[in-house]
Amino acid sequence: CPIVITRTYTVTDECGNLSADIVHTINIDDTTVPTFTGSITTTNLEGCVAGDVPAETTVAGLEGLAGDLLVSDNCSADGAMTVSSSDAVAGTCPIVITRTYTVTDECGNVSADIVHTINIDDTTVPTFTGSITTTNVEGCVAGDAPAAETTVAGLEGLTGDLLVSDNCSADGAMTV
């Protein structure tokens, strides 16, 4: 890019006399950016972290995402184009990733932005196994009962075999 063709002509007259060389230079250049039609549908996923959704790295991968995205270029085949992306991450529950893709053809022409919104949300409730043993306290009023636990570690520390777990949150990050 560009392709340069140097074409040399000579002219011969009827008597075999040759002219000096006539040089014709032809530059063929691709300055047309890759284009796309359609879009990528917003993706909603169960998960915990932004890293749960790797970026696509090929045109085929982009076109394989949900939606009707089609990428094309006037000179480069899909496999010869490169895909790059950048992420803007916001929020916690859900985590919203705005992933911006561009496609570059063999001549360095860069497409317009292709935007993919990804919502990663933890909708799985914490679970527990075991139980807390009944506590018997000597006393006359409800105030004689021990204070309520306010942490998962405190709950798990009560008499019994209670274990609390969550697919995304550590014990210290959960509230009681």
Side-chain angles (χ1 to χ4, degrees), residues 33-106:
V33 300
T35 59
F36 63 93
T37 59
S39 62
I40 303 170
T41 305
T42 296
T43 303
N44 297 303
L45 298 170
E46 177 74 22
C48 305
V49 295
D52 287 344
V53 186
E56 294 300 330
T57 58
T58 66
V59 170
L62 276 179
E63 292 175 337
L65 292 170
D68 59 354
L69 182 73
L70 292 174
V71 177
S72 61
D73 188 68
N74 63 325
C75 292
S76 299
D78 285 0
M81 292 187 277
T82 58
V83 174
S84 58
S85 65
S86 63
D87 289 348
V89 180
T92 53
C93 293
I95 299 167
V96 178
I97 301 171
T98 303
R99 181 166 291 154
T100 304
Y101 288 101
T102 57
V103 178
T104 306
D105 69 13
E106 293 174 288

Side-chain angles (χ1 to χ4, degrees), residues 75-169:
C75 292
S76 299
D78 285 0
M81 292 187 277
T82 58
V83 174
S84 58
S85 65
S86 63
D87 289 348
V89 180
T92 53
C93 293
I95 299 167
V96 178
I97 301 171
T98 303
R99 181 166 291 154
T100 304
Y101 288 101
T102 57
V103 178
T104 306
D105 69 13
E106 293 174 288
C107 291
N109 300 306
V110 181
S111 72
D113 291 346
I114 303 167
V115 178
H116 182 198
T117 302
I118 304 160
N119 298 312
I120 302 172
D121 203 2
D122 170 18
T123 60
T124 303
V125 298
T127 60
F128 65 91
T129 58
S131 61
I132 302 171
T133 305
T134 300
T135 302
N136 297 309
V137 176
E138 181 68 32
C140 301
V141 295
D144 292 335
E149 293 300 329
T150 59
T151 65
V152 170
L155 280 177
E156 291 176 334
L158 293 172
T159 306
D161 60 355
L162 180 71
L163 291 174
V164 178
S165 62
D166 187 69
N167 64 322
C168 291
S169 300

Side-chain angles (χ1 to χ4, degrees), residues 3-56:
I3 299 168
V4 179
I5 300 172
T6 304
R7 190 170 289 157
T8 305
Y9 295 99
T10 55
V11 178
T12 307
D13 67 14
E14 292 180 69
C15 295
N17 300 308
L18 295 175
S19 69
D21 290 343
I22 303 166
V23 178
H24 180 200
T25 303
I26 304 166
N27 295 318
I28 301 172
D29 201 2
D30 172 14
T31 59
T32 303
V33 300
T35 59
F36 63 93
T37 59
S39 62
I40 303 170
T41 305
T42 296
T43 303
N44 297 303
L45 298 170
E46 177 74 22
C48 305
V49 295
D52 287 344
V53 186
E56 294 300 330

